[in-house]
Amino acid sequence: NPDTNELLVEKEIADIVVKIRKEVRSGLPQAYLAHMGEMFHNEMNLRIEEDSPFKIEAQSIHNILDTGVGSYSVMAAIYFEVAQRLGLKVWGTSFPTLMMVGVEDHLGKNIYLDPTTGIHYPVSELKEMFEAQDWQDGWLKPVSPRVWLGRIINTSIRIYEKSNSYNQWAALTELQSLLFPLESSLQRDLGALYAKLGHVNQAKVILQDYRVKHPEDQDALNILQNLG
């Protein structure tokens, strides 16, 4: 997330939480969620535009709150953070196409929020919505912040990949390799990016280590041979 002014973002989120607390008297989760949806999507006009998920500025919480235009993952992060500060039991999920936010209602039942619209759904409706994608109950289970961060990083990587911004692409791939050390393909990708950037020695060290574990990977071998 390219938010450089963390104090400003902190104040923006804190102000939203204070305003919602003042305007919602009941304190019920559904009332908070309804008010968040009204505030975010009607008053603040937070939205996804056709190409906005693939713009780097849409990965910034401050920019989204300022312009209203954002990406799926960061809008989910805003909902998650505000709901958590309001005292709701909230978690991230692993739905394949949307970063749905899980929330426990006042009866202890789980509902799931689409942060792009503010609409929340019971499980029965979600199963109908995702029927064509071979529904998995595991999508409903909480995922760690590390997994959500990985999804946000993946979005940013795709943006830098499209613009051939190799320095930023390599930096995020290195971060991913630290977050997910068992994903060995990230090591190969990082070595390939270092090779493109002309960091020959670093690329060789990374790719040679990768080849010890994956001698069958012809792409890595080809890159090493081209490096000389």
Side-chain angles (χ1 to χ4, degrees), residues 131-148:
E131 184 179 9
Q133 298 185 44
D134 296 325
W135 174 266
Q136 298 178 29
D137 287 336
W139 293 344
L140 301 173
K141 294 179 180 178
V143 295
S144 69
R146 181 173 65 103
V147 172
W148 260 32

Side-chain angles (χ1 to χ4, degrees), residues 46-191:
L46 301 190
R47 63 201 184 275
I48 302 288
E49 293 185 347
E50 184 176 358
D51 60 345
S52 65
F54 306 103
K55 292 182 177 178
I56 199 61
E57 57 267 25
Q59 314 310 311
S60 161
I61 291 175
H62 174 63
N63 285 346
I64 292 174
L65 295 176
D66 184 44
T67 66
V69 180
S71 67
Y72 303 104
S73 55
V74 180
M75 288 181 75
I78 292 171
Y79 261 102
F80 183 93
E81 185 65 23
V82 171
Q84 193 170 53
R85 293 190 188 200
L86 287 168
L88 304 186
K89 185 177 179 181
V90 60
W91 60 93
T93 64
S94 59
F95 281 86
T97 54
L98 284 175
M99 296 185 74
M100 303 284 281
V101 179
V103 185
E104 185 178 283
D105 69 14
H106 68 291
L107 298 175
K109 294 182 179 180
N110 297 339
I111 53 179
Y112 297 87
L113 175 79
D114 179 353
T116 66
T117 62
I119 298 172
H120 48 276
Y121 303 92
V123 174
S124 57
E125 288 188 31
L126 284 176
K127 286 185 175 180
E128 292 179 8
M129 290 168 57
F130 287 87
E131 184 179 9
Q133 298 185 44
D134 296 325
W135 174 266
Q136 298 178 29
D137 287 336
W139 293 344
L140 301 173
K141 294 179 180 178
V143 295
S144 69
R146 181 173 65 103
V147 172
W148 260 32
L149 178 58
R151 292 182 72 168
I152 293 171
I153 292 172
N154 276 334
T155 301
S156 297
I157 282 178
R158 288 198 298 271
I159 294 168
Y160 288 129
E161 182 180 357
K162 286 179 67 176
S163 61
N164 293 324
S165 301
Y166 293 113
N167 280 304
Q168 294 89 337
W169 184 359
L172 289 175
T173 301
E174 186 167 3
L175 177 57
Q176 269 194 321
S177 68
L178 294 173
L179 286 170
F180 305 101
L182 298 181
E183 295 286 339
S184 59
S185 61
L186 293 171
Q187 186 181 12
R188 179 199 59 210
D189 295 345
L190 184 60

Side-chain angles (χ1 to χ4, degrees), residues 19-52:
K19 184 177 181 183
I20 293 174
R21 278 210 177 104
K22 284 181 178 178
E23 296 177 355
V24 177
R25 300 290 182 178
S26 69
L28 293 176
Q30 286 94 325
Y32 277 140
L33 292 177
H35 202 82
M36 288 166 64
E38 175 69 23
M39 176 186 287
F40 290 159
H41 300 289
N42 292 336
E43 294 178 27
M44 299 171 65
N45 195 25
L46 301 190
R47 63 201 184 275
I48 302 288
E49 293 185 347
E50 184 176 358
D51 60 345
S52 65

